[in-house]
Amino acid sequence: MGDRAEFKVFVGGLPQDCTTEILQDYFAKFGTLTDVVVMKDRDTGRSRGFGFVSFDAIEAVDDIMSMHGDHKIQDKWIDCKRATTEGTKGAPSKGGGKGGAGSSGGKGSKGGDGRPGDWKCPSCGANVFGTKDA
């Protein structure tokens, strides 16, 4: 049951050399982990700077969220957020924000939904965005 979105945490801002083992070691103190993944570039194998951790109980996720501003890995502050259900990434949850629904992603936007080169990770279902070199 640990693969459900409410048991999963998005972890952003990871150090470039952060491994799955480092992520696992840090988050194991919050509860029993059911899955840990550091997302990697499919061409280079380098970390993309984010990952996901899943737990067997919602309380672990709640504990992580209650300490939102206190998470550091390898002396780098990381950003932990509750993972969203597959297919809802970027959907507005409470009121407006930049771009809102139906936006085509103006200058400076970090959108990416439906752009060429984007793909969904078959392992964890995360949206993976193509390079900006194209």
Side-chain angles (χ1 to χ4, degrees):
M1 291 267 178
D3 61 342
R4 295 184 357 207
E6 63 265 25
F7 292 91
K8 192 173 197 177
V9 176
F10 165 85
V11 185
L14 292 175
Q16 195 64 39
D17 59 345
C18 183
T19 64
T20 299
E21 292 77 21
I22 292 170
L23 202 60
Q24 182 173 344
D25 288 346
Y26 180 80
F27 284 100
K29 64 186 171 190
F30 294 99
T32 303
L33 289 159
T34 59
D35 190 38
V36 180
V37 62
V38 173
M39 301 305 294
K40 298 187 184 271
D41 182 278
R42 65 180 166 191
D43 295 326
T44 66
R46 294 183 60 197
S47 169
R48 298 199 60 234
F50 70 96
F52 295 91
V53 291
S54 298
F55 294 90
D56 68 348
I58 192 72
E59 291 80 12
V61 176
D62 292 339
D63 288 347
I64 291 166
M65 292 300 103
S66 72
M67 300 173 51
H68 183 264
D70 300 327
H71 298 293
K72 251 182 158 178
I73 291 181
Q74 297 178 306
D75 291 324
K76 186 169 191 274
W77 293 107
I78 58 171
D79 185 25
C80 299
K81 298 178 182 175
R82 291 180 191 274
T84 58
T85 305
E86 184 177 340
T88 63
K89 184 178 185 314
S93 57
K94 293 184 181 177
K98 292 184 179 178
S103 171
S104 61
K107 184 176 181 181
S109 172
K110 290 192 177 192
D113 296 333
R115 292 186 179 173
D118 292 355
W119 57 284
K120 189 170 293 285
C121 175
S123 174
C124 70
N127 289 327
V128 181
F129 304 107
T131 65
K132 296 185 181 209
D133 297 334

